[in-house]
Amino acid sequence: MTGKRTRLLAVVAAAVAVAAVAIVASIVTSGSSDKSGKLRGASEVRSLIRGIPQRGYTLGRSDAPATLIEFVDLQCPYCAQLARDGLPAIIANEVRSGRLRLELRILSFLGPDSQTAARFAAGAARQNRVWQFTELFFRNQGRENSGYVTEDFLRKVAGAIDGLDVDRALAFSRTPEAEDDLERANSEARKLGVTATPTLFLMQAGGRPRQLALSDLTADAVRSAISAARQR
C-alpha cells in the first residue's frame, strides 16, 4: 500500500476558536469526476445500505462481535477506490449478516473541499444517513481542491438519498457541533497514530483497535486483513 494512500502530517493550528488539527498532505489528482454532470451510483448505494441498522457514524447491528473503524477523507481518491472496490462485499456479507459493524471517522486534511464535505457529512450523520452520503460522494468524487464541493454539488448528492433532509443537513453543517465532529475524528486519528487514508482498524469485543495491513484495496484484501487481525 506504500504510495497508494494519502499521507498525512499532523500540524497544530494556532489562533482558532475551536481547538483543531490540520493535517497536511501531498495532493493526488482524483480524476473520477463525471464531466457529463450525471450522478453515479445512486441505485447501487441505495441497495447496498438498505435495511442495515444505522446510527450516527455507525453501520450495522449494535451487538456485532467486531467493529471495523474506517478513517477517510472524502477527497481522498484511494478512499473512493476502497468504497467502490473493497467495502461493498464486506457490507453485503459481513455487516448485513451481523458479524461486523462499521464506524466511520471522517478527516478533513486535504483542503477546504474536504472540510465542507466533512461538515455536511456531520449533518447527514444526525439523520442516520452518513453512510449513504459518503458512499455516494465517493462514487461522484471530483478533482481535489478544484472547488467542486459546492452547495449545489452537495444538494445533488444528498438529494438522491431517501429520507435525508438536505436543508437540515446543510444548516447543521454550519454549526459548532459539526466542527466538534471533525475534531473528535482528528483526535482519535492522532491517538491511534493514523498517518494515511484510508486506514482501517478492527476492534473485537473487549479488545483494542488493531490496524489492518492492506495489500491493496480489493474486497479480498480487506477480508484477508480482517481475518489476520482476528487471529492476533
Side-chain angles (χ1 to χ4, degrees):
M1 286 295 297
T2 303
K4 287 192 175 183
R5 289 157 63 188
T6 305
R7 293 286 160 186
L8 332 174
L9 174 64
V11 179
V12 178
V16 290
V18 178
V21 168
I23 306 175
V24 180
S26 58
I27 303 303
V28 182
T29 300
S30 169
S32 60
S33 59
D34 186 344
K35 294 181 180 179
S36 71
K38 183 179 179 181
L39 192 69
R40 294 188 300 250
S43 60
E44 175 194 350
V45 169
R46 192 177 298 117
S47 297
L48 180 66
I49 305 297
R50 183 186 288 124
I52 301 177
Q54 188 173 175
R55 184 175 180 84
Y57 291 92
T58 299
L59 181 71
R61 289 172 47 172
S62 60
D63 61 349
T67 300
L68 188 67
I69 303 169
E70 180 188 12
F71 286 87
V72 301
D73 185 302
L74 286 168
Q75 283 203 94
C76 166
Y78 303 113
C79 298
Q81 184 182 346
L82 178 65
R84 293 190 307 267
D85 301 338
L87 283 187
I90 303 301
I91 292 172
N93 298 310
E94 296 288 324
V95 178
R96 189 170 289 281
S97 68
R99 293 191 295 268
L100 187 68
R101 179 175 58 247
L102 297 183
E103 290 190 5
L104 196 61
R105 303 290 185 265
I106 301 178
L107 306 180
S108 53
F109 60 88
L110 280 174
D113 281 343
S114 295
Q115 294 167 18
T116 301
R119 291 174 68 93
F120 186 91
R126 292 310 184 281
Q127 299 180 49
N128 302 322
R129 296 293 187 279
V130 74
W131 278 93
Q132 289 94 329
F133 172 72
T134 55
E135 292 300 299
L136 194 52
F137 188 103
F138 281 137
R139 285 160 175 78
N140 292 275
Q141 192 183 68
R143 184 168 55 83
E144 290 175 21
N145 291 325
S146 61
Y148 75 97
V149 187
T150 62
E151 181 173 324
D152 285 345
F153 176 81
L154 293 171
R155 284 186 177 278
K156 182 178 179 180
V157 173
I161 299 170
D162 295 338
L164 179 58
D165 185 327
V166 181
D167 288 332
R168 181 179 156 200
L170 278 168
F172 186 87
S173 74
R174 303 181 182 109
T175 66
E177 288 82 1
E179 186 65 34
D180 289 344
D181 278 20
L182 273 63
E183 173 53 24
R184 276 191 292 272
N186 282 331
S187 177
E188 188 172 357
R190 295 194 300 271
K191 186 183 299 183
L192 291 174
V194 173
T195 58
T197 59
T199 293
L200 304 177
F201 290 85
L202 183 72
M203 185 168 63
Q204 301 189 85
R208 296 180 179 180
R210 296 180 181 275
Q211 186 172 343
L212 301 193
L214 294 175
S215 58
D216 56 50
L217 300 174
T218 62
D220 285 345
V222 176
R223 273 193 289 261
S224 295
I226 290 173
S227 179
R230 279 173 169 159
Q231 294 170 21
R232 280 189 243 164

